[in-house]
Amino acid sequence: MPVTSAPAPAVTPPPDAAGPSVLHRTGAFCARHPMWVIAAWLLLMAAAMLGRNAVGATYSDEVSLPGSHTQTGADLLEGSDPALADPNGKVVFHVDSGKVSGHGDALTDSLGRLSDLPHVADVSAPVTSTDGATTYVTLSFDEDIKSLGHTYVDRLDEATEPARNADVRVGYGGDLNTIAREPANDRAAEAIGVVTAAVALLVAFGSVAAALLPLATALVSVLAGLGVVGIVAGSLTLATSAPTLAAMIGLGVGIDYALFLTTRFRQDVMDGYDTESAVGRTTASSGRAVLVAAVTVAVALLSLYACGLSMIGRLGLAATLAVAVTALAALTLVPAALGLVGRRIDTLKVRRRPVAETSGDDDGWHRYAGMIARHPWRFLVAGLAVVALCATPLFSMRLGHIDDGADPAGSPTRNAYDWIADADGPGFGPGANGTFTVVVDLTGATLPTDRIADDLADALKGTEGVAGATAPRPTQDGRLLVTTVTPTTGPQTAETGGLFETLTDHTLPATLKDTGTTAYLTGSTTGQLEFRDTVTERLPLIIGIVLVCAFLLLMVVFRSLVVPLKAVLLNLLTTGASYGVLVAVFQWGWGDGLLGMSGPVPIESYVPMMMFAIVFGLSMDYEIFLLSRIAEEWHTSHDNRRAVGKGLSLTGRVITCAALIMTAVFLSFAGSPTVVVKMLALGLAISVILDATLVRLVLVPALMFLLGRGNWWLPRWLDRLLPRLRV
């Protein structure tokens, strides 16, 4: 029978010998005092946003790798000749026809103005391409370039105005890209996500009131969460993408949590419970599932700290703060809103059949569950085949750093990158956008410096993949030998990564053997490659921590060894499939034009680690919501087939709707101008839709039907040791 929202006689809840739980009492209290709770949340949201503005949040993607080639080389330069360690960037001048030297007066005027800019410590001599069409100078700064802010670009534009007026084009490269890029503005993506979610909720719930309630509560919690993230960023520097990530995760889980609570409340109202009892029951049942799901997400995200990279750990912290605030809102603000709306939840209906839990044994979801129960092997094999197909590209994944070559065509940073890469001559070519600085520590040298310099120059010249190298020169104090190596390929290519390994593992150690010296590679390109290697090395640790924590939590909650093992294995499949899609889209370039990309790029080195934590946490949401309803029926009937069928019937429609809404929210962020945000958005969207449909609605029931009573196996001795935690 179709679900109807017609009012039913009030039902008195059955007596509970143990008395109502804390969550039940919390929900009932919020339902009795909705205006006070809502007012408190609005005040909290306003205070958090004002606090964020007051503390002056700081964001930076700077990564420290103590003991690495990059850090050691930089420290040696700083101690020997601080000027060599100064932050620097390139200002590139280009003419489409003729030569830059034909505009000599304008160029000279611009260079003079650049040298007079505040914080500019030095302007190098111009380096000109063979055809004379491109010239660049290197600006050294007396403080970190990022600290100058994007507004400093206006000063650069003013200084180079004489050249521009003479029809010379100007671009900014090197580390100047950190301020020359247009600041990422994801407000449009956030607005699209909200509108898309509103439409999806309206279609799903079939009434304006029911659609607006999850959206409104999610927006309040997200804004409060962003305020908290901003306050934390005032004392603890977070990554630049932290607010966007927090907004994306917070909005997605906020709508999901509110959707599950609203759906359960709606069913209880249809079953005849009065408003306060329905809210209390909803908070005690679905609210507990929300709490466990939020804890699982938080554990997965905070495990990122185990990688030892503060930038990644703090990204996880920002997302965790958003999830924590959202979960708190789900347990207080949503019950208050439900108590305020009450039986008017279906006000302004746009269609007859609403989304709510159903318990009819003949509904479509029961029939679907029966079909899986009759052919579990067929569904299992078909589902695994689709997941394996999506995951296949994973085996060719190449991690790297997305350089200026992926910036929008025509932007100052992309122009500078292309002009340098396309020009001929010393100091030009693709590798000029990602050079290596070789620092040789001469402290214990047993050979003359000139001989070491000659041997080093010959060795670098004969190394495959090296386009050129400057003559090794000693620093003023004679403690170091310094040279700059230009690869034949661009900084984000696999060949440049291979050259880095060749230099550090073979060329430099072999050349300096028995000389009493040690060489280090430093510079931004080296730092990016070492960051990549560090992330790759520590990813298994993160995966292990998340798997173990999730397994233990689910074992305690569901009193089973098989259910949590199945859950973590299937979540690994989901993650692998989402990785595969990312490789196909971004690395292979399939459909990259639809995302506004100019060509294939490697997978940003920290994206897989971030995605694993987020995907695993979010996929556990659906796992817990489904399994909690299956377990509820299992502990009542001890009939595995009936439990799986009823759990699928009660949650299948809601999980599907929730997944579609979260997918729409994530996909809206794929329009972000930041490539890393595009990657995370698409990867999360794919993982959510695969997990909520193929995994939760096909693989999980098929496996549970095949395993039968074995799903709930737990040794008695272990059952006695484990703490009790109901969902």
Side-chain angles (χ1 to χ4, degrees):
M1 292 178 64
V3 178
T4 175
S5 58
V11 175
T12 302
D16 187 349
S21 66
V22 173
L23 287 177
H24 189 290
R25 293 196 299 271
T26 300
F29 174 84
C30 294
R32 286 196 304 272
H33 309 285
M35 298 307 296
W36 286 105
V37 176
I38 292 172
W41 267 98
L42 292 176
L43 286 174
L44 174 63
M45 178 189 72
M49 297 302 289
L50 291 173
R52 180 185 67 172
N53 295 332
V55 300
T58 57
Y59 301 96
S60 172
D61 291 332
E62 186 174 350
V63 179
S64 176
L65 297 171
S68 65
H69 267 261
T70 307
Q71 192 64 50
T72 304
D75 291 343
L76 287 172
L77 284 176
E78 179 69 27
S80 180
D81 190 346
L84 292 177
D86 283 344
N88 61 78
K90 292 184 175 71
V91 178
V92 187
F93 301 90
H94 176 80
V95 290
D96 294 327
S97 60
K99 297 183 177 182
V100 177
S101 59
H103 309 276
D105 292 341
L107 184 61
T108 301
D109 191 5
S110 293
L111 295 181
R113 293 188 179 197
L114 287 171
S115 64
D116 292 336
L117 287 178
H119 304 297
V120 172
D122 183 57
V123 178
S124 72
V127 180
T128 304
S129 61
T130 302
D131 61 4
T134 305
T135 292
Y136 72 81
V137 294
T138 301
L139 270 60
S140 298
F141 295 86
D142 59 14
E143 67 174 67
D144 184 63
I145 294 177
K146 294 176 184 176
S147 66
L148 301 177
H150 182 69
T151 56
Y152 194 83
V153 178
D154 295 334
R155 296 192 174 192
L156 292 172
D157 290 341
E158 291 173 3
T160 56
E161 188 174 358
R164 298 174 194 275
N165 291 338
D167 295 326
V168 177
R169 302 174 67 186
V170 181
Y172 306 117
D175 289 344
L176 277 176
N177 60 15
T178 57
I179 60 173
R181 286 195 184 105
E182 285 294 326
N185 185 355
D186 294 310
R187 291 183 180 178
E190 294 168 7
I192 293 173
V194 170
V195 172
T196 304
V199 173
L201 284 167
L202 186 61
V203 172
F205 274 121
S207 76
V208 174
L212 290 180
L213 190 148
L215 185 60
T217 54
L219 284 175
V220 171
S221 64
V222 167
L223 290 174
L226 287 176
V228 172
V229 169
I231 292 173
V232 171
S235 57
L236 189 68
T237 301
L238 301 180
T240 52
S241 57
T244 300
L245 181 63
M248 185 165 57
I249 301 300
L251 189 59
V253 299
I255 293 175
D256 260 17
Y257 293 164
L259 175 63
F260 279 98
L261 289 163
T262 303
T263 304
R264 184 68 179 252
F265 167 78
R266 198 177 202 179
Q267 186 64 53
D268 281 345
V269 168
M270 292 175 184
D271 291 341
Y273 287 90
D274 65 82
T275 297
E276 185 178 325
S277 297
V279 172
R281 285 168 51 86
T282 295
T283 311
S285 53
S286 293
R288 185 177 282 109
V290 164
L291 185 59
V292 174
V295 170
T296 306
V297 175
V299 168
L301 291 170
L302 290 177
S303 68
L304 291 171
Y305 269 107
C307 73
L309 300 171
S310 59
M311 187 196 80
I312 293 180
R314 290 172 184 177
L315 273 173
L317 174 64
T320 300
L321 291 173
V323 171
V325 174
T326 299
L328 181 61
L331 299 176
T332 54
L333 179 60
V334 173
L338 292 174
L340 183 64
V341 174
R343 291 182 173 272
R344 300 186 300 275
I345 190 71
D346 286 328
T347 300
L348 302 177
K349 286 193 291 186
V350 296
R351 65 184 179 86
R352 295 181 59 187
R353 187 183 179 90
V355 171
E357 295 181 344
T358 70
S359 56
D361 290 342
D362 295 325
D363 72 346
W365 285 100
H366 264 96
R367 292 193 295 272
Y368 171 71
M371 182 169 59
I372 296 179
R374 292 190 297 273
H375 309 287
W377 281 109
R378 294 182 184 179
F379 280 89
L380 180 63
V381 171
L384 290 175
V386 174
V387 173
L389 180 64
C390 292
T392 299
L394 163 65
F395 298 101
S396 64
M397 177 184 285
R398 180 172 64 85
L399 300 182
H401 176 68
I402 300 171
D403 60 26
D404 297 353
D407 288 352
S411 64
T413 52
R414 176 64 180 275
N415 283 340
Y417 183 94
D418 290 343
W419 294 336
I420 290 177
D422 296 341
D424 294 323
F428 290 90
N433 286 304
T435 59
F436 299 125
T437 299
V438 180
V439 180
V440 181
D441 186 357
L442 299 172
T443 304
T446 58
L447 295 176
T449 299
D450 291 346
R451 180 176 172 182
I452 295 174
D454 291 341
D455 291 344
L456 179 60
D458 292 340
L460 292 174
K461 183 179 179 180
T463 301
E464 185 179 357
V466 173
T470 61
R473 295 182 180 276
T475 53
Q476 293 179 356
D477 61 5
R479 292 167 52 193
L480 305 177
L481 200 62
V482 181
T483 179
T484 300
V485 177
T486 302
T488 57
T489 52
Q492 69 180 18
T493 62
E495 291 79 7
T496 298
L499 175 60
F500 167 72
E501 295 175 359
T502 299
L503 291 174
T504 55
D505 296 341
H506 303 289
T507 303
L508 296 177
T511 303
L512 301 177
K513 184 180 180 181
D514 299 327
T515 65
T517 63
T518 306
Y520 303 93
L521 262 64
T522 189
S524 59
T525 304
T526 303
Q528 292 154 7
L529 292 171
E530 289 196 297
F531 179 75
R532 176 204 65 183
D533 294 342
T534 302
V535 169
T536 303
E537 177 186 338
R538 297 177 185 177
L539 180 58
L541 174 63
I542 298 299
I543 292 176
I545 291 174
V546 173
L547 292 181
V548 170
C549 291
F551 179 87
L552 293 176
L553 178 62
L554 292 180
M555 181 177 63
V556 172
V557 170
F558 295 111
R559 321 301 296 179
S560 165
L561 287 177
V562 178
V563 165
L565 180 62
K566 170 191 61 62
V568 296
L569 291 177
L570 289 181
N571 284 344
L572 281 177
L573 290 179
T574 301
T575 306
S578 60
Y579 283 175
V581 173
L582 282 190
V583 171
V585 172
F586 290 95
Q587 187 176 314
W588 293 357
W590 292 6
D592 53 5
L594 297 175
L595 295 174
M597 300 287 294
S598 57
V601 296
I603 305 302
E604 182 66 42
S605 54
Y606 66 86
V607 163
M609 184 180 287
M610 288 296 306
M611 270 193 58
F612 177 78
I614 297 171
V615 167
F616 202 91
L618 294 181
S619 62
M620 277 298 178
D621 277 4
Y622 298 126
E623 181 80 7
I624 289 170
F625 286 127
L626 173 60
L627 289 179
S628 63
R629 298 303 266 155
I630 293 176
E632 188 176 333
E633 180 61 28
W634 163 256
H635 291 304
T636 300
S637 66
H638 290 282
D639 183 334
N640 183 73
R641 181 163 179 164
R642 176 177 175 80
V644 175
K646 187 168 184 179
L648 194 60
S649 172
L650 292 172
T651 63
R653 183 185 300 134
V654 186
I655 285 178
T656 304
C657 289
L660 290 174
I661 292 168
M662 188 178 284
T663 300
V665 170
F666 287 155
L667 284 178
S668 67
F669 282 86
S672 169
T674 305
V675 178
V676 173
V677 174
K678 290 180 187 288
M679 283 188 182
L680 286 171
L682 181 64
L684 293 177
I686 295 297
S687 67
V688 166
I689 200 66
L690 282 176
D691 188 82
T693 55
L694 194 62
V695 174
R696 286 318 136 216
L697 304 183
V698 177
L699 296 180
V700 168
L703 274 173
M704 295 193 76
F705 281 130
L706 286 170
L707 294 171
R709 297 179 66 89
N711 286 305
W712 311 101
W713 177 72
L714 182 71
R716 290 184 179 179
W717 64 268
L718 184 57
D719 184 48
R720 290 193 297 269
L721 293 176
L722 294 178
R724 297 285 169 179
L725 180 61
R726 263 189 330 117
V727 177

